[in-house]
Amino acid sequence: MPDPAVPDPYGEHRNLLFTVAYEMLGSAADAEDVLQETWLRWTGVDQDGVREPRAYLVRITTRLALNRLRTLARRRETYVGPWLPEPLLTVPDVADDVELAESVSTAMLLVLETLTPVERAVFVLRDVFGFGHDEIAVAVDKSPAAVRQIAHRARGHVEARRPRAAVTAAERDAVLGRFAAAVRNGELQALMDVLAPDVVMLTDGGGVVSAARVPIRGAAKVVRFLSAVTPAHVQVTAEVAMVNGAPALRLLADGALDTIVTARIEGGLVTGLYLVRNPDKLARLDEAVVLIR
């Protein structure tokens, strides 16, 4: 049995390690697998010889996540329909850290999906967690000079794809509230009014449940699709929940969780709509996850 009087670096930094792994992988299930492997590696080293356990553990997690990310990239090539990150029920405190909340948003995780595995690791460690170039170089097996170049390239790529304007919490909550009310009441015109004309909707059913296999573009087409996939005899309710660091909607069909809806909001309108319906990705929403950096 572990001695409770002896510090446990892995336990102390576990939430940080999970956050790093999740941001690199976009999957809580895969992040948990990486953490299990990290713990096994950690128990096998001479811990007395580790001067900075936090950096050492992050290094192990990063290397394992990189290996897993390359495997996932091949798996996602055969994924049925659009792939969306696995949603996480998060504690309200995450929203207080604006940079962390943005980094785990669905929109940002989708941007990170367009980076190479090494670019993603470097961006996450440098821009989100503030690790130095020398520390990152050891984790990704590159020189510090190469890491600086990769960080610059990845940052430019991400900046070009960020939302065009910042949204206040009040503005975001107001738009989401209007969207939720329109869904609850089945008011199609009210739903149209909250969507940008060029809104893009991605639906992730994983080939298990009904979902569009290509992005749907345009407010009218989005509303038409949402109406078509909601049977008239099913009672749909919408609840606001804190998901990936921001308010989102839990859609319940006859009382059972059916869909998690997150949104990208710009200029008072929804410009990106992300619906996760894959049951495998909805299995971990019974307990809030603590994310830290």
Side-chain angles (χ1 to χ4, degrees), residues 118 122 132-151:
V118 172
V122 170
H133 294 110
D134 290 349
E135 294 175 292
I136 299 171
V138 176
V140 300
D141 196 25
K142 301 285 184 182
S143 69
V147 165
R148 288 189 181 87
Q149 293 180 336
I150 294 169

Side-chain angles (χ1 to χ4, degrees), residues 6 11 36 41 53 75-76 79 91-92 98 105 118 126 131 145 186 199 222-223 231 252 276 285:
V6 177
Q36 180 64 21
R41 299 279 182 98
R75 191 188 309 169
R76 288 169 190 169
Y79 195 81
V91 296
V98 177
S105 69
V118 172
R126 179 61 183 166
F131 283 93
V199 63
V222 166
V223 171
L252 307 178
V276 176
L285 290 162

Side-chain angles (χ1 to χ4, degrees), residues 118-175:
V118 172
E119 286 175 342
R120 185 167 184 168
V122 170
F123 179 84
V124 166
L125 293 178
R126 179 61 183 166
D127 284 52
V128 179
F129 295 97
F131 283 93
H133 294 110
D134 290 349
E135 294 175 292
I136 299 171
V138 176
V140 300
D141 196 25
K142 301 285 184 182
S143 69
V147 165
R148 288 189 181 87
Q149 293 180 336
I150 294 169
H152 178 75
R153 183 170 64 246
R155 190 175 303 117
H157 184 96
V158 170
E159 288 296 333
R161 290 160 177 79
R162 284 183 191 272
R164 292 183 290 274
V167 178
T168 66
E171 193 177 19
R172 176 200 62 204
D173 293 349
V175 173

